[in-house]
Amino acid sequence: RCRVVVLISGNGSNLQAIIDGCDDTLTADVVGVISNKPDAYGLVRAHHSEIDTSCVIAHSDETREQYDARLLEAINKYQPDLVVLAGFMRILSDGFVEQFTGKMLNIHPSLLPKYPGLHTHQRAIDAGDSEHGASVHFVTPELDSGPVVLQAKVPVYPGDDVATLSERVHEQEHAIYPMVVKWFSQQRLVMKDGKAYLDNELIGEQGYA
Ligand code: GAR
């Protein structure tokens, strides 16, 4: 079975969906959860499922590289096959990301390449977009720019605010992230030369369709 480490900073609803998905499919196990925030609710979720947790809290006087070195050490203790970023709200240094080429996934709350970075729901509303969504992608050094594996779209309704729209997106995230973790754990999903393949077929720019 595929050993998965999940990195979180907050609520961990995607972590929960992945834990539940692993229970269903039995092809992967979440063997560790790491948070940069000691009060992240996702840590409580991990404890409920008897999953080991660690906190790697940033020191005010350390560089990004120093933090990432400590994070790397915490991850490697679990000997993972896959590292899953699930609402982990830190930018990772290139050197760190390169340790996990083809072995690290992220979920981002937009239809990438639209809206990398923060405040994606507000930006979609402000732009008057009629659709929005979430993307699961392999992580590469450039922020939110690795090859997309799977996207889910949701409509944007007149009168939506960040709360209503983000709730709709979250629901879709909980459907797509466990599916991608399952594909990876079944060795059906790989990244080669910066591109994502499912069952040896190149995945298009908008994700598997
Ligand atoms: C998710 O919506 C995820 O897409 C987003 O954080 C949320 C975490 O929710 N990630 C990012 O914004 C990454 N830049 P959760 O803690 O309930 O899974």
Side-chain angles (χ1 to χ4, degrees):
R1 284 172 44 158
C2 176
R3 295 174 61 81
V4 180
V5 166
V6 181
L7 272 55
I8 60 164
S9 301
N11 179 29
S13 67
N14 281 285
L15 163 68
Q16 188 68 58
I18 289 165
I19 292 171
D20 295 344
C22 290
D23 286 348
D24 290 346
T25 59
L26 305 176
T27 52
D29 293 304
V30 178
V31 294
V33 171
I34 301 175
S35 175
N36 65 321
K37 300 279 182 196
D39 55 354
Y41 184 67
L43 293 169
V44 176
R45 296 178 188 276
H47 292 147
H48 283 155
S49 292
E50 296 176 1
I51 295 166
D52 197 76
T53 63
S54 339
C55 272
V56 184
I57 298 160
H59 303 154
S60 55
D61 60 347
E62 75 186 333
T63 64
R64 185 170 300 286
E65 284 70 23
Q66 284 168 332
Y67 177 89
D68 286 356
R70 294 195 297 118
L71 182 61
L72 181 65
E73 201 178 313
I75 293 172
N76 283 342
K77 280 192 186 139
Y78 295 111
Q79 299 275 299
D81 302 301
L82 174 66
V83 176
V84 165
L85 308 181
F88 186 67
M89 302 304 281
R90 280 187 63 93
I91 291 176
L92 297 164
S93 58
D94 293 6
F96 175 88
V97 170
E98 280 157 9
Q99 305 286 316
F100 297 104
T101 305
K103 293 179 173 190
M104 185 155 59
L105 295 167
N106 181 42
I107 192 156
H108 183 76
S110 78
L111 297 172
L112 289 172
K114 264 194 165 181
Y115 312 132
L118 297 175
H119 311 301
T120 57
H121 307 301
Q122 189 63 57
R123 285 153 76 194
I125 291 169
D126 291 348
D129 292 354
S130 59
E131 59 179 19
H132 182 48
S135 308
V136 177
H137 64 95
F138 278 108
V139 177
T140 58
E142 202 188 333
L143 181 71
D144 298 330
S145 297
V148 171
V149 175
L150 189 59
Q151 287 186 330
K153 290 181 181 166
V154 302
V156 182
Y157 296 123
D160 262 336
D161 56 20
V162 168
T164 57
L165 185 55
S166 71
E167 191 189 332
R168 203 171 302 129
V169 170
H170 255 110
E171 233 170 73
Q172 292 303 312
E173 291 187 330
H174 303 159
I176 62 176
Y177 217 173
M179 189 175 307
V180 174
V181 169
K182 181 177 83 176
W183 290 342
F184 186 92
S185 67
Q186 294 172 328
Q187 298 174 316
R188 296 172 57 196
L189 174 68
V190 295
M191 185 172 89
K192 259 186 277 173
D193 301 327
K195 295 192 167 102
Y197 295 80
L198 182 66
D199 297 331
N200 297 313
E201 298 261 359
L202 180 65
I203 297 177
E205 269 166 37
Q206 313 215 316
Y208 176 75

